Amino acid sequence: MTIRVLIADDQEMVRAAFRMILDSQPDLSVVAEAADGASAVGQARSLRPDVCLLDIRMPRLDGLEATRLLAGPGVQDPLNVVIATTFDLDEYVYRALRNGACGFLLKDGAPGLLTEAVRAAAAGNSLISPSVTVRLLAHLAPGRPGPAAPRDRPAPAAEPLTRRELDVVRLVARGLTNDEVAAALYVTLSTVKTHLGSVQRRLGLRNRVQIAAWAWENGVCGSPR
């Protein structure tokens, strides 16, 4: 199945470069381009692409607000959004993830990272540039609050997570894939997916990036039992 992608960036050269990279892959296809955030939101709602690849600083509507409109809390049938930007700022990372983005990339990253982030988003997973991930997790460690205000953080679970759910969350917070989590805990892949689905419902989170953020913010990243 071909993954349909919308590219939004105010620089034509960047859009052309992204299109060339993505269209060179047999399973990826760019179906629309936009030079500003408002146009990106309109086209995304009309075309319903599998992944929206958005820049942050764009005319009329920036990529962070466009992300909120397409994938944020309360959006019915949200779209998959990946942010690709030149600006490696913690504030942008936090706002992008809080607004529903399932990926955050720097434009100077390898082309392979771009294609894998798009594939991950289409599959319901997440990918963040490695340099951003390391810094993000360091900020989220207990006693080191990040730029996100407390009111923006996910509410605690209505009921405690089970021990096995916490084991899964700890491994996800360390960046393990579902297959790696299953191998580490000696359970099936479907069991891992079931636990992640339960965690997302209880915590009101949309993806594994937000699960990892919750784990680091709440100091539950110790060794699994």
Side-chain angles (χ1 to χ4, degrees):
M1 180 178 294
T2 301
I3 298 172
R4 301 165 62 250
V5 185
L6 176 147
I7 299 173
D9 195 293
D10 61 344
Q11 298 183 52
E12 185 176 357
M13 290 182 61
V14 172
R15 297 199 306 272
F18 283 172
R19 175 183 280 275
M20 181 178 66
I21 293 170
L22 297 174
D23 279 344
S24 70
Q25 302 297 306
D27 60 330
L28 305 178
S29 176
V30 176
V31 296
E33 294 184 18
D36 64 79
S39 177
V41 170
Q43 290 193 66
R45 286 173 170 171
S46 174
L47 297 173
R48 303 292 302 177
D50 299 302
V51 178
C52 300
L53 185 63
L54 307 183
D55 186 20
I56 289 183
R57 295 189 179 180
M58 294 187 290
R60 298 179 65 196
L61 191 71
D62 68 47
L64 297 174
E65 181 62 15
T67 298
R68 187 187 68 80
L69 294 175
L70 295 175
V75 174
Q76 293 186 349
D77 198 13
L79 292 166
N80 298 312
V81 174
V82 173
I83 293 291
T85 181
T86 306
F87 304 99
D88 184 12
L89 301 177
D90 289 340
E91 177 187 357
Y92 287 165
V93 179
Y94 274 78
R95 282 191 59 197
L97 300 182
R98 296 304 182 203
N99 286 359
C102 54
F104 192 100
L105 303 176
L106 300 180
K107 290 180 180 178
D108 60 1
L113 198 62
L114 174 66
T115 56
E116 288 309 306
V118 170
R119 291 188 180 105
N125 295 317
S126 306
L127 191 152
I128 302 178
S129 289
S131 61
V132 175
T133 301
V134 171
R135 195 177 67 250
L136 174 67
L137 296 183
H139 277 306
L140 291 175
R144 294 189 59 187
R151 61 184 172 82
D152 292 329
R153 294 179 178 171
E159 56 183 297
L161 300 182
T162 67
R163 186 177 71 175
R164 184 54 86 186
E165 287 170 346
L166 286 172
D167 289 342
V168 171
V169 166
R170 290 185 186 103
L171 295 177
V172 167
R174 291 185 186 135
L176 273 67
T177 66
N178 286 355
D179 287 330
E180 291 170 337
V181 172
L185 297 179
Y186 303 101
V187 297
T188 65
L189 180 60
S190 62
T191 297
V192 172
K193 291 180 178 179
T194 297
H195 285 317
L196 287 176
S198 176
V199 170
Q200 287 179 212
R201 286 191 298 273
R202 292 194 193 191
L203 299 180
L205 305 176
R206 285 201 51 228
N207 53 52
R208 59 194 298 118
V209 172
Q210 292 186 349
I211 290 176
W214 178 88
W216 283 92
E217 286 175 339
N218 289 276
V220 297
C221 291
S223 300
R225 285 177 265 179

